[in-house]
Amino acid sequence: MSRNIYVKHRPAVIGAGLTLFRRRMLETPKELAWIAAKQALDEAGLTLKDIDCVVIGSAPDTFDGVHFKGEYLADGSGGVGKPTMRVFVGGATGVMVPIAAWWHVASGHCKTVLAVAEEKMSSADIPHPQAVFRYIWDPITEVPLQPNLIWIFAMEMHRYMYKCGAKKEDIALVSVKNKRNALDHPAAQVAANITVDDVLKSEMLVWPVQLLDISPVSDGAAAFIVASEDVARRQTDTPVWIDGVGWTLDTTSWTNRDLAFPEYANVAAQMAYRMAGITNPRREIDVAEVYDPFDYKELHHMEGLGLAKKCEAPKLTKEGVTQRDGDLPINPSGGLLGVGNPIAAAGTMKVAEIYWQLAGKAGKRQVRKPAYTGLAHAWGDLMQASTVVVMRV
């Protein structure tokens, strides 16, 4: 297929690991990183001696209270004495981690990469982790307005609702679905059997965003092993190939964009689809883990990723298409809304979930339909960064 022209060595995921996602975890950031890393190594049948390179992903240093967090996490992530790098693109970091691991292996530089993402948001209770983001705003045009992230995303949600005629009841179905899916996830922080009415009656934060529209503050880590084809086939009967990668960064000037459609997601997805030889993602993607820190973002990103037409995602959700037993399962893990949102680790969790789905190892979370091609996606910064991987068996 056309994807073969992009790589010298075809990379595959051969093992993954995940800590619990919780608020105020007692483990240190290094300990969280190692717990996930050790699980991934064990599943792949490898030890640290077998690892050539290490990729670390983590969001703002302020969360853990340690500057140069990549260097700080190196020993907990198995990076001491090995070529090690940290990637950071805000909330999109979690899927930038496999992209960085991919290029290490695809280039031939490394045969095995241990990829680890960690976040400990609880350390930044000042009084709330959102305070970390007080310095991301333009000091001239935005700081005087005293914005926060929920304030901004409420504007985006409102714009999406207006442009698409989406109702709060339709958007709430995403939170209901994902929290219920998470009941089957052993790491889940906020799994619950809730109703649309529960969402609509939850605390109003900034209209139209309510408490149950949002993922929680979380601590946790996720990891996986990416290996070259010869190593992958030697270590496992179920390698899951990374066949397409894409990433993009839009302008910080969010006021200059139509917030109803995530162009950043579309650009990153098209890059990954070209590499993977995908021309009709709605039909060719069997299962997707779409970034869902807010319930409306699952719908928003489905459309940006080409998994639904513009303004069609609420209809597909209402019809059950995105359920675990539906025609296009979206976030069968429970996503960020159900499992939790330790920012970088949350995106990497989605990559691990697609690996387990395609390898047939997702347990109670396994989708009903046969799954051969999956997508993992993350998003971050001021509605501007997007990262996408396409994986196959």
Side-chain angles (χ1 to χ4, degrees):
M1 294 182 66
S2 61
R3 64 179 180 272
N4 293 332
I5 68 173
Y6 289 93
V7 298
K8 293 174 64 175
H9 304 274
R10 193 182 184 193
V13 179
I14 61 172
L18 188 66
T19 69
L20 294 176
F21 283 7
R22 295 290 187 272
R23 190 163 186 177
R24 300 185 180 91
M25 291 282 279
L26 297 180
E27 290 84 358
T28 68
K30 293 183 180 185
E31 289 169 337
L32 289 172
W34 176 243
I35 291 168
K38 183 64 164 60
Q39 289 177 13
L41 288 165
D42 288 348
E43 183 174 353
L46 300 175
T47 69
L48 277 181
K49 292 180 180 179
D50 303 309
I51 297 299
D52 295 332
C53 302
V54 172
V55 172
I56 299 169
S58 197
D61 292 354
T62 316
F63 282 140
D64 288 351
V66 179
H67 197 34
F68 291 110
K69 196 159 56 169
E71 288 83 344
Y72 168 73
L73 290 172
D75 46 1
S77 302
V80 173
K82 300 179 185 295
T84 301
M85 70 173 296
R86 175 195 179 188
V87 293
F88 167 45
V89 281
T93 300
V95 178
M96 197 68 200
V97 170
I99 292 172
W102 172 88
W103 75 54
H104 278 71
V105 173
S107 67
H109 183 66
C110 310
K111 282 186 170 291
T112 53
V113 176
L114 172 57
V116 185
E118 177 276 340
E119 213 76 72
K120 192 162 187 182
M121 299 174 69
S122 297
S123 304
D125 280 349
I126 46 177
H128 189 276
Q130 188 178 165
V132 167
F133 299 109
R134 68 180 62 171
Y135 301 111
I136 67 173
W137 312 102
D138 185 283
I140 305 301
T141 62
E142 294 170 355
V143 168
L145 300 176
Q146 298 183 353
N148 60 53
L149 289 182
I150 297 177
W151 187 86
I152 293 292
F153 299 140
M155 291 175 58
E156 185 180 59
M157 181 176 176
H158 192 193
R159 175 62 180 163
Y160 178 76
M161 292 171 64
Y162 175 81
K163 187 75 175 284
C164 295
K167 298 179 180 178
K168 277 280 295 174
E169 291 84 349
D170 298 334
I171 294 173
L173 287 170
V174 173
S175 188
V176 171
K177 170 180 68 73
N178 290 0
K179 288 181 180 296
R180 287 181 180 174
N181 282 348
L183 290 169
D184 294 322
H185 202 300
Q189 178 181 353
V190 286
N193 188 10
I194 64 169
T195 66
V196 168
D197 200 45
D198 291 329
V199 178
L200 299 180
K201 289 181 178 179
S202 63
E203 179 185 355
M204 182 64 68
L205 301 178
V206 181
W207 197 91
V209 176
Q210 294 175 250
L211 185 62
L212 290 180
D213 291 317
I214 303 181
S215 56
V217 171
S218 309
D219 302 341
F224 52 88
I225 309 296
V226 177
S228 60
E229 184 168 2
D230 57 331
V231 175
R233 294 195 183 281
R234 184 176 70 239
Q235 292 299 123
T236 180
D237 295 327
T238 56
V240 175
W241 309 101
I242 301 176
D243 276 350
V245 300
W247 65 96
T248 193
L249 189 65
D250 207 334
T251 172
T252 57
S253 300
W254 53 272
T255 53
N256 295 354
R257 292 183 262 141
D258 185 349
L259 302 183
F261 183 76
E263 189 66 34
Y264 53 82
N266 187 259
V267 173
Q270 292 304 320
M271 176 182 174
Y273 294 154
R274 284 193 300 272
M275 189 177 296
I278 288 177
T279 58
N280 187 346
R282 173 67 179 86
R283 296 301 174 194
E284 295 177 68
I285 299 295
D286 298 313
V287 58
E289 283 284 336
V290 174
Y291 209 63
D292 61 318
F294 296 74
D295 47 12
Y296 83 93
K297 289 305 289 187
E298 177 172 303
L299 308 174
H300 205 223
H301 285 146
M302 283 176 61
E303 295 168 14
L305 296 167
L307 302 176
K309 297 175 182 177
K310 288 183 178 181
C311 300
E312 184 188 30
K315 178 176 179 287
L316 296 181
T317 301
K318 194 171 184 178
E319 292 174 349
V321 172
T322 62
Q323 294 284 350
R324 194 180 284 159
D325 59 357
D327 182 58
L328 179 59
I330 303 291
N331 293 327
S333 66
L336 279 58
L337 287 163
V339 182
N341 187 14
I343 297 179
T348 301
M349 176 267 288
K350 288 184 171 291
V351 178
E353 289 292 330
I354 292 298
Y355 159 70
W356 286 319
Q357 285 286 346
L358 300 185
K361 298 178 179 180
K364 292 181 179 180
R365 307 186 303 284
Q366 193 73 43
V367 299
R368 185 179 67 180
K369 65 180 289 188
Y372 306 104
T373 303
L375 176 147
H377 163 253
W379 156 77
D381 297 337
L382 274 175
M383 304 171 288
Q384 63 185 125
S386 200
T387 47
V388 176
V389 297
V390 175
M391 302 165 72
R392 282 196 179 100
V393 290

